[in-house]
Amino acid sequence: MKNEIEIHKGLVIRGSHNIIIVRIETEEKGPEELECRIKGKVLKGCENFYNPLAPGDLVTVERGKNSRGALILSLEERRNLFSRFNQKGGASQLLAANVDLVLCVCTPLSPPFRPRFIDRVLLQADYAGIEACVICNKIDLDEQEPDTDERLQDFTRAGYKVLRVSAKTGEGIDELRRFTEGKTSVLAGQSGAGKSSLINALEPGLGVREGGLNEKYDRGVHTTTMSYMFYMPDGTRLIDTPGVRLFIPDRIKKEEIILHMKEFAPLAGRCSYGMSCSHKHEPGCKIMEAVHAGIIHEDRYESFLRIRDDIEGNSNDGYRK
């Protein structure tokens, strides 16, 4: 007897290049997870990406009525996508799609506090049109990098939301839970910052595997190897992403950077040389004037220049599209 074909709308929750796990809802069985492959060689709308799909993507799948496997036929238009440039693959790497929040997870010491990493995540979130929040985890640590408080306060002053929490002691977790409730959030951060630990603190029953630190180098161990969506009973969705030590902004042109850093954006185009100003030496540069006046933090300014130099020095398509 020929197997009857079913068509379903589904939500991508994790996957690699070849196998994508899609969650569907059926009247008979409720939610199901299907192991899917893409029908054909290239899925329309996924060209030029390191990976074709990411958690949060909405897709159409077909399967035999009694089959656990399925084929992905098409991708629905994305509301937004959060990505980074993957140097090894030389292309955009999708981390999550159709999200409400980007949670940039850092720590005050272990791994070391790296505000310039945070700058890049916040930049990418703003470019994607997604609200972002800095989550400083491990605030129970007795020590911290000397500039941690100053820089966190500066992020707040610039207009970013900052939460101080501890997945270990539970401090700040209730506030984080209220902030993410009912939303789809993607967690981004260095390896070892405690993204998986935070998910377990928010919903202990999930039992997400947690990594540790390489004691010799004080770096995180890569526990999460692909983006993975977790469902909470209240409808909240959290997307854990692989920890990285280098976050390269994706698809942002160098002249667009100023538009996506909160305290820089109001000054865009107001320099004597307009949008062609390099913000390095020109007279009448409003950015440099703001730095001298203390409106823009010196380290944020240096970070801005480094991101520009990085993008200018890379001519690959991942930056330009």
Side-chain angles (χ1 to χ4, degrees), residues 134-137 139 148-150 152-153 156 162-166 171-173 175:
V134 179
I135 309 293
C136 188
N137 187 26
I139 60 169
T148 300
D149 279 338
E150 178 193 355
L152 290 177
Q153 290 172 14
T156 300
V162 176
L163 294 177
R164 293 169 171 81
V165 306
S166 170
E171 185 176 353
I173 295 300
E175 184 180 2

Side-chain angles (χ1 to χ4, degrees), residues 104-109 111-114 117-118 134-138 148 152 188-190 193-194:
C104 182
V105 182
C106 63
T107 79
L109 182 64
F113 180 69
R114 291 176 56 198
F117 181 97
I118 299 171
V134 179
I135 309 293
C136 188
N137 187 26
K138 304 186 184 181
T148 300
L152 290 177
Q190 301 174 68

Side-chain angles (χ1 to χ4, degrees), residues 9 23 25 39 56 80 134 137 149 209 233 288 308:
K9 297 288 186 181
R23 178 185 171 113
E25 297 280 349
K39 188 173 185 177
N80 57 49
V134 179
N137 187 26
D149 279 338
R209 183 186 173 198
M288 289 193 294
R308 278 172 52 105

Side-chain angles (χ1 to χ4, degrees), residues 47-187:
E47 302 87 353
N48 303 312
F49 286 104
Y50 179 75
N51 52 319
L53 295 167
D57 270 326
L58 298 170
V59 295
T60 301
V61 301
E62 70 170 20
R63 69 160 179 175
K65 188 171 183 179
N66 299 313
S67 174
R68 291 288 300 169
L71 294 174
I72 296 174
L73 303 179
S74 63
L75 167 69
E76 290 192 14
E77 184 177 356
R78 293 173 171 129
R79 173 164 56 94
N80 57 49
L81 61 87
F82 184 68
S83 62
R84 72 181 184 102
F85 183 73
N86 185 299
Q87 280 185 310
K88 183 178 179 181
S92 300
Q93 180 180 358
L94 299 173
L95 298 175
N98 302 313
V99 300
D100 303 305
L101 295 171
V102 171
L103 307 179
C104 182
V105 182
C106 63
T107 79
L109 182 64
S110 185
F113 180 69
R114 291 176 56 198
R116 292 183 181 179
F117 181 97
I118 299 171
D119 290 335
R120 292 168 179 243
V121 173
L122 296 178
L123 170 67
Q124 190 68 47
D126 196 86
Y127 176 77
I130 307 169
E131 181 182 358
C133 176
V134 179
I135 309 293
C136 188
N137 187 26
K138 304 186 184 181
I139 60 169
D140 54 283
L141 294 175
D142 294 331
E143 298 180 42
Q144 63 179 32
E145 296 288 335
D147 64 344
T148 300
D149 279 338
E150 178 193 355
R151 289 308 314 276
L152 290 177
Q153 290 172 14
D154 187 68
F155 283 124
T156 300
R157 184 171 64 91
Y160 299 101
K161 186 174 181 65
V162 176
L163 294 177
R164 293 169 171 81
V165 306
S166 170
K168 182 178 180 180
T169 67
E171 185 176 353
I173 295 300
D174 285 343
E175 184 180 2
L176 177 58
R177 185 180 290 111
R178 288 191 296 270
F179 183 59
T180 58
E181 186 177 2
K183 300 174 182 176
T184 299
S185 303
V186 54
L187 290 81

